[in-house]
Amino acid sequence: MPEHDDTAAATLVVNRATAARADGHLPSRRRRGLLIAALVAVVTLALSGCQGKLSNGFLPDTISDSGRRVTDLWIGSWIAVLAVGAITWGLMLYAAIRFRKRKGDETLPVQLRYNVPVEMLYTIVPVFMVAVFFYYTARDEAALTDTSKKPDVTISVVAKQWSWDFNYIDSNVHESGVHVDPSLPDARAKMPTLYLPVNKRVEFVLNARDVIHSFWVPSFMTKLDMLPGKTNILQIVPTQTGVFQGKCAELCGAYHSQMLFMVHIVPQAEYDAEMKRLADIGQTGLIPVDVSREKMVPADANKIPAPARTGGN
């Protein structure tokens, strides 16, 4: 073949290779870059949707004594699992690099059927981790559900499809809520409102009138189910004034997502003024708790403050 034909053929190959790189590899790199950028954007967006910050594990800012305990348990758990993850990933990377197949080496590595120390490690460490998690979870759960302390305020909360009734036992007044569509412009003003004095121990006596509900104020970082015929009790110390959202956390029917209420945590003087206002507008006495679909279990009925079992004036 003539020399100029060889040169032309070589030039054609180079041109085709250059075109292939331009059409294939570079766009592939761009696609990888765009994929990484998109992933970063999604993660950033997801984290921006979290209510908290890194220092509290991206949980909502707590406004109760129990919330701090929940936050500490959450953060401690994440630190433990991330530490274990880092060690595990490190060992995996070490094994992948240290024992990788090298060029020209066609021999198989030593084949082991078992390794007693490693197997013991992989057994003991997980059992130890589960035991530690169990201990701290049980400790905090016991503290969160402890109702042995004398409350400053007792409130009977009755859940119903799809609203809430609040009996202020000590003040002998009540508020009866009705279902409100949250899409309405003035929905929050029409929702049932729960008033609580700041820095006072509040005991919630929880009952359900029809189906299973769950009493939840997200900023309390604590919730408790409400079962028909049963009585559950929860104590909370609100530590910050403000207006917060409460809701039902148990799927309870067609309008579960709209079963909302407002929580006003106020100084004692403002709380007393609200109790007087309820009395002045005629909302004295208590709403009977035992008027429900399910018959109350006697032992659980006795947990309800006497005036609220069948109502009082």
Side-chain angles (χ1 to χ4, degrees):
M1 179 180 292
E3 183 176 350
H4 66 277
D5 290 339
D6 292 340
T7 303
T11 302
L12 179 60
V13 171
V14 171
N15 290 340
R16 287 180 178 174
T18 304
R21 283 196 298 272
D23 295 336
H25 296 288
L26 291 181
S28 177
R29 291 171 184 168
R30 291 196 190 99
R31 283 195 297 271
R32 285 197 297 270
L34 290 174
L35 181 60
I36 294 173
L39 181 61
V40 171
V42 169
V43 172
T44 302
L45 181 63
L47 291 178
S48 67
C50 298
Q51 299 184 43
K53 46 190 179 293
L54 182 61
S55 61
N56 67 353
F58 296 103
L59 292 176
D61 291 331
T62 181
I63 59 168
S64 71
D65 59 333
S66 59
R68 186 67 257 171
R69 180 179 291 273
V70 173
T71 301
D72 291 343
L73 179 62
W74 171 260
I75 294 175
S77 300
W78 270 108
I79 291 174
V81 297
L82 287 175
V84 172
I87 294 172
T88 304
W89 297 327
L91 291 173
M92 292 169 60
L93 289 173
Y94 168 77
I97 295 172
R98 173 68 176 80
F99 302 106
R100 70 187 185 280
K101 185 178 183 302
R102 290 172 170 78
K103 185 177 180 180
D105 184 2
E106 301 299 331
T107 60
L108 290 175
V110 178
Q111 302 296 297
L112 296 176
R113 297 180 61 183
Y114 57 86
N115 186 307
V116 174
V118 171
E119 291 179 4
M120 290 183 62
L121 177 68
Y122 285 169
T123 302
I124 294 174
V125 170
V127 170
F128 175 77
M129 290 176 57
V130 171
V132 171
F133 276 121
F134 178 84
Y135 168 78
Y136 284 106
T137 301
R139 181 201 65 178
D140 291 345
E141 181 182 4
L144 293 173
T145 57
D146 178 34
T147 58
S148 61
K149 296 181 180 178
K150 187 179 186 307
D152 300 303
V153 175
T154 301
I155 300 176
S156 166
V157 180
V158 181
K160 58 189 180 182
Q161 291 174 313
W162 288 272
S163 193
W164 306 82
D165 293 336
F166 302 123
N167 285 320
Y168 297 92
I169 304 297
D170 310 286
S171 302
N172 195 38
V173 295
H174 70 270
E175 177 167 348
S176 181
V178 295
H179 173 239
V180 177
D181 185 349
S183 64
L184 297 175
D186 56 346
R188 289 200 165 199
K190 295 181 179 179
M191 289 178 186
T193 302
L194 175 63
Y195 273 80
L196 303 174
V198 68
N199 294 324
K200 300 290 185 179
R201 179 167 294 278
V202 181
E203 180 168 282
F204 298 101
V205 183
L206 307 176
N207 294 97
R209 200 174 295 287
D210 34 48
V211 299
I212 298 176
H213 298 280
S214 187
F215 178 78
W216 186 33
V217 180
S219 294
F220 282 170
M221 306 288 288
T222 306
K223 63 184 177 70
L224 192 59
D225 283 352
M226 310 168 77
L227 309 174
K230 301 282 289 181
T231 299
N232 283 333
I233 297 176
L234 177 67
Q235 289 190 359
I236 294 287
V237 179
T239 56
Q240 178 181 323
T241 59
V243 179
F244 306 92
Q245 182 76 70
K247 60 183 69 178
C248 176
E250 186 75 26
L251 182 60
C252 58
Y255 298 100
H256 158 70
S257 63
Q258 299 181 7
M259 190 171 168
L260 308 171
F261 63 96
M262 302 305 300
V263 180
H264 288 237
I265 302 177
V266 297
Q268 184 67 48
E270 191 173 337
Y271 174 82
D272 294 337
E274 175 62 18
M275 297 300 101
K276 183 177 183 304
R277 186 190 73 82
L278 291 175
D280 291 343
I281 63 176
Q283 292 181 200
T284 55
L286 304 176
I287 300 172
V289 173
D290 62 356
V291 180
S292 59
R293 295 181 191 173
E294 297 288 337
K295 183 178 180 180
M296 289 293 302
V297 176
D300 286 270
N302 293 333
K303 296 178 183 179
I304 304 172
R309 292 177 195 167
T310 57
N313 295 292

